[in-house]
Each structure stands twice: as C-alpha cells, then as structure tokens.
C-alpha cells in the first residue's frame, strides 16, 4: 500500500486541532479520556457497532481522522495501530432485534454506555460524537462532528467502522444479491431496488423504511 507523504506544517496544524479537546481535559487533570463513536446508525441492515478508545496522553497517530474521510486501506492500517497502542479498546454490537425494540436513538445511547462499561480500564472522562449520553460517575462532553474534531473519537470511529465493514463483507457472502460489500446495508438505489424486487432478509431492520412499509397492512391485504 502506498501512502502519500504529508505536508509537515499542514499536519502539525491538523493535529493541534484534532487533539485540542484532549489537551483541554488533560490540563484539567483527566488522564484517561475515552472517545466513543458508532458505525451503521443509518443502515437498513445488521447491528449498530460502537467503538470506545482510550489513547495514551499526547500519543500521536499519523493520519488519524474521521473514519469517513479515510480509504478502507488506511482505516485498516490505523485500526491495528490503535488496537496495538491504545490503553483500552472496546467494540460492541447492538443487535437488529434490540434496535427494532428500542428504536435506533435509544439503542445508540444504550450501546455507547455499554461500550464504555466494557473497557478493561475505565476512563475518568468521556468524549462522545454528537450524542448526549449519561455515564454513571464519569464526566463527559458531547461534540458535534466529534469524529473530525477529537483524536479519541476519531480512533473510536475507526474501530467501529472497520468492525462493521468486516461484518458487511460477511453478509455479502451470505446474501450476494444485495451488494452489501459496496453499500454496507445503506439505502442506495441498487439496495432499495433489490428489496422491492426480492424482499428483505432476516438481518434487515424491521423498524426502518422501506422494510417497515413492506410489513404494514394495506387495503388489499387487510
């Protein structure tokens, strides 16, 4: 894999911005800062995956960024670098059944709490991407677009994204017609057309359109 050389000045400026929240809370005395993020919240298929990561203070990972801005090859490389160097890493899956039972918002809240609780070393501060999540006895801060503004959240986004993409690759082998290796279960035109043509699978979320609409009774089948 070929990775383009970075401009040192531009990278220094980017890193300063990416670590500013961590630096703010390190300076307040917090040394175990966890970042939390999810992957697959808007997908029509499969579990929601949530990552939680505690990076060592002042630890620099080259090219660390919001997982959505990175190629799959770079995400895979960073995944292993994060797992190898982090103080603690956790990834959990919230099942389709739980998503359908709770709704996606509540399932995400519950999953983020569980991801932090399952870290083998507990943080003393938590940074969360966008969601307002309560953690028992742990102070926290929600950051809009946090995966692009916080190193810890960016690391968590990579853990979640890579883990879920691997699941999608497995689904693609079981259900080759749906193109999960490309759309990752999201509602692309191709995916929606296939659902209309041959129906949905057991791993589709029943509470999400268009699957939900297909389950609704009509005047013709009442």
């Amino acid at each position: 894999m070929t990775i383009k050389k970075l401009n040192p000045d531009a990278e220094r400026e980017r890193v300063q911005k990416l670590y500013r929240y961590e630096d703010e809370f390190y300076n307040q005395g917090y040394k175990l800062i966890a970042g939390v993020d999810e992957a697959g919240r808007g997908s029509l298929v499969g579990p929601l995956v949530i990552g939680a990561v505690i990076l060592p203070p002042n630890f620099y990972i080259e090219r660390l960024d919001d997982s959505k801005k990175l190629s799959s090859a770079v995400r895979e490389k960073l995944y292993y670098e994060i797992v190898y160097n982090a103080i603690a890493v956790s990834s959990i899956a919230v099942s389709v059944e739980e998503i359908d039972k709770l709704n996606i918002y509540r399932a995400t809240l519950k999953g983020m709490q569980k991801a932090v609780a399952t870290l083998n070393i507990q943080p003393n501060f938590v940074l969360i991407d966008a969601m307002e999540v309560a953690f028992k006895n742990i102070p926290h801060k929600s950051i809009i677009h946090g995966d692009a503004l916080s190193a810890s959240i960016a690391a968590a986004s990579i853990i979640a994204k890579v883990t879920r993409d691997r699941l999608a690759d497995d689904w693609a082998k079981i259900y080759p017609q749906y193109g999960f290796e490309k759309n990752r279960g999201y509602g692309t035109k191709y995916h929606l057309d296939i659902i209309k043509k041959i129906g949905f699978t057991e791993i589709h979320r029943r509470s999400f359109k268009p699957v939900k609409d297909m389950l609704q009774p009509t005047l013709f089948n009442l």
Side-chain angles (χ1 to χ4, degrees), residues 21-209:
Y21 285 104
E22 281 77 7
D23 289 342
E24 176 185 342
F25 293 108
Y26 289 148
N27 290 336
Q28 293 181 28
Y30 299 105
K31 298 306 177 187
L32 296 172
I33 299 175
V36 184
D37 200 7
E38 53 77 23
R41 189 174 174 189
S43 177
L44 307 178
V45 172
L48 174 75
V49 176
I50 297 171
V53 176
I54 303 176
L55 295 175
N58 304 313
F59 180 72
Y60 168 69
I61 299 178
E62 186 175 326
R63 290 187 177 274
L64 181 62
D65 206 339
D66 172 6
S67 62
K68 297 186 293 296
K69 297 180 179 179
L70 304 171
S71 69
S72 59
V74 172
R75 282 197 299 266
E76 283 282 345
K77 177 180 181 295
L78 291 175
Y79 175 93
Y80 289 108
E81 192 167 352
I82 291 163
V83 169
Y84 183 79
N85 290 289
I87 293 172
V89 176
S90 170
S91 63
I92 64 105
V94 181
S95 71
V96 171
E97 293 75 19
E98 194 160 13
I99 291 169
D100 288 339
K101 178 181 177 181
L102 295 176
N103 75 44
I104 190 62
Y105 181 80
R106 290 169 59 200
T108 304
L109 292 178
K110 185 176 179 180
M112 287 183 165
Q113 291 168 333
K114 184 177 180 181
V116 170
T118 55
L119 287 165
N120 59 6
I121 296 174
Q122 284 296 283
N124 48 34
F125 201 92
V126 180
L127 297 173
I128 316 133
D129 183 43
M131 300 284 290
E132 289 288 348
V133 187
F135 297 96
K136 188 176 181 180
N137 300 323
I138 306 176
H140 54 274
K141 181 178 181 64
S142 173
I143 304 171
I144 303 298
H145 303 307
D147 46 6
L149 300 173
S150 157
S152 302
I153 297 176
S157 79
I158 289 168
I159 295 296
K161 173 67 173 165
V162 170
T163 301
R164 196 173 191 282
D165 282 356
R166 291 173 180 176
L167 291 175
D169 289 338
D170 291 338
W171 307 332
K173 296 171 186 175
I174 301 169
Y175 308 101
Q177 308 97 314
Y178 292 85
F180 292 145
E181 74 282 4
K182 295 180 180 179
N183 60 50
R184 305 307 191 193
Y186 285 83
T188 63
K189 183 180 185 302
Y190 176 84
H191 186 187
L192 296 176
D193 287 345
I194 286 293
I195 292 174
K196 292 174 184 176
K197 184 177 180 181
I198 64 174
F200 52 85
T201 71
E202 62 183 8
I203 63 171
H204 276 87
R205 299 172 183 174
R206 271 44 174 184
S207 57
F208 278 44
K209 289 186 175 185

